[in-house]
């Protein structure tokens, strides 16, 4: 009799699966009700999430570096990945400008409460539980990239300029490689029930945060948002 041992990534996926479904449904509802306006609003909040993600990774790396040699590989990954992701925030703003939108308005717009809440959860997990926790949210974000044909169909359906999708399209390829790298780190570091639950909490906060944002905007009239 062969006993199959569930991988740490499979275990994480199984616990987060219900939230993936809600995430997709609320996104579709938002786009159905708000169209291009829903896309631009989401892109603006994605900017804020990405902009907070870089200092989050640096904070996780700093804390990990104080916790002993076991965390050395993770701390190095945090610094390397933060350096890699930092320019992408500017890329996204450039996409907005190329598409004829006001990039400074996106910078100046206040982050929505759902985005502040789920990113705040990530910082709390880093400082109070375990810095490795952020692998949960980053795995969800980068281990399940958008597909190019889906983004192109979205642009065509709502008459959106393809220039607005340059950074998103770049990540459809880059995140496939990143997802594999993050999965390897999860297998290495999810060595206790506490760490596993921290990863789940991180990924769940990301998915439910975006889902709540999509759901709220899909039920509001343009005048209310």
């Amino acid at each position: 009799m062969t006993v199959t041992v569930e991988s740490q990534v499979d275990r994480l996926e199984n616990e987060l699966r219900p939230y993936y479904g809600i995430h997709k449904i609320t996104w579709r509802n938002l786009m159905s009700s708000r169209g291009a306006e829903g896309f631009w609003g989401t892109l603006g909040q994605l900017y804020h999430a990405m902009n907070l993600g870089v200092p989050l990774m640096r904070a996780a790396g700093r804390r990990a570096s104080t916790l002993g040699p076991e965390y050395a590989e993770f701390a190095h990954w945090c610094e390397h990945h933060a350096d890699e992701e930092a320019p992408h925030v500017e890329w996204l703003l450039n996409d907005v400008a190329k598409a004829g939108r006001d990039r400074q308005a996106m910078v100046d717009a206040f982050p929505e409460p759902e985005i502040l809440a789920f990113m705040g959860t990530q910082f709390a997990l880093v400082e109070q539980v375990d810095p490795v926790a952020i692998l949960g949210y980053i795995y969800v974000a980068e281990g399940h990239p958008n597909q190019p044909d889906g983004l192109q169909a979205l642009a065509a359906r709502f008459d959106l300029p393809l220039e607005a999708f340059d950074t998103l399209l770049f990540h459809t390829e880059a995140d496939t490689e990143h997802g594999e790298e993050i999965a390897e780190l999860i297998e290495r570091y999810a060595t206790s029930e506490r760490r596993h639950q921290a990863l789940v909490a991180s990924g769940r906060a990301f998915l439910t945060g975006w889902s709540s944002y999509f759901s709220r905007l899909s039920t509001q009239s343009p005048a209310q948002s």
Side-chain angles (χ1 to χ4, degrees):
M1 176 178 170
T2 302
V3 178
T4 301
V5 178
E6 184 180 36
S7 75
Q8 297 297 336
V9 170
D10 287 343
R11 189 180 175 203
L12 179 65
E13 287 274 9
N14 287 336
E15 294 201 35
L16 292 177
R17 187 165 290 115
Y19 303 99
Y20 286 123
I22 296 169
H23 180 77
K24 291 176 182 177
I25 290 169
T26 53
W27 165 246
R28 287 197 295 266
N29 288 345
L30 174 63
M31 292 309 300
S32 296
S33 64
R34 303 296 286 273
E37 182 188 359
F39 169 78
W40 288 116
T42 300
L43 202 65
Q45 295 309 307
L46 179 61
Y47 157 74
H48 290 299
M50 289 174 65
N51 203 33
L52 286 166
V54 173
L56 171 67
M57 284 183 276
R58 297 203 192 284
R62 285 194 301 271
R63 179 150 192 261
S65 67
T66 70
L67 297 177
E70 176 193 0
Y71 285 83
E73 181 182 355
F74 173 73
H76 174 75
W77 177 85
C78 285
E79 284 302 314
H80 174 75
H81 202 55
D83 289 343
E84 199 170 30
E85 291 295 320
H88 299 178
V89 179
E90 188 69 16
W91 291 6
L92 191 67
L93 291 174
N94 289 340
D95 291 349
V96 170
K98 287 184 293 185
R101 308 281 293 195
D102 186 345
R103 59 177 277 157
Q104 192 58 44
M106 181 174 286
V107 173
D108 293 340
F110 203 80
E112 294 287 350
E114 296 88 351
I115 278 66
L116 289 174
F118 79 67
M119 290 305 294
T121 296
Q122 308 306 327
F123 281 97
L125 287 168
V126 164
E127 294 299 330
Q128 297 299 320
V129 181
D130 194 307
V132 168
I134 66 165
L135 292 173
Y137 125 74
I138 298 175
Y139 175 76
V140 170
E142 300 192 13
H144 297 80
N146 294 306
Q147 296 302 309
D149 55 351
L151 294 174
Q152 291 160 0
L154 185 69
R157 180 182 176 188
F158 296 112
D159 195 26
L160 293 161
L162 281 175
E163 291 87 349
F165 291 84
D166 285 350
T167 299
L168 297 178
L169 286 168
F170 170 82
H171 281 88
T172 62
E173 296 184 9
D175 285 353
T176 300
E177 181 180 341
H178 290 167
E180 295 173 356
E181 185 179 21
I182 296 161
E184 291 175 2
L185 286 169
I186 290 173
E187 293 299 334
R188 172 169 179 175
Y189 282 100
T191 54
S192 69
E193 185 61 23
R194 178 179 173 83
R195 280 187 181 169
H196 170 74
Q197 292 304 324
L199 291 167
V200 171
S202 173
R204 183 174 58 228
F206 175 83
L207 289 166
T208 58
W210 275 115
S211 298
S212 296
Y213 167 74
F214 296 152
S215 181
R216 176 171 62 82
L217 260 66
S218 67
T219 59
Q220 287 181 347
S221 68
Q224 289 177 295
S225 58

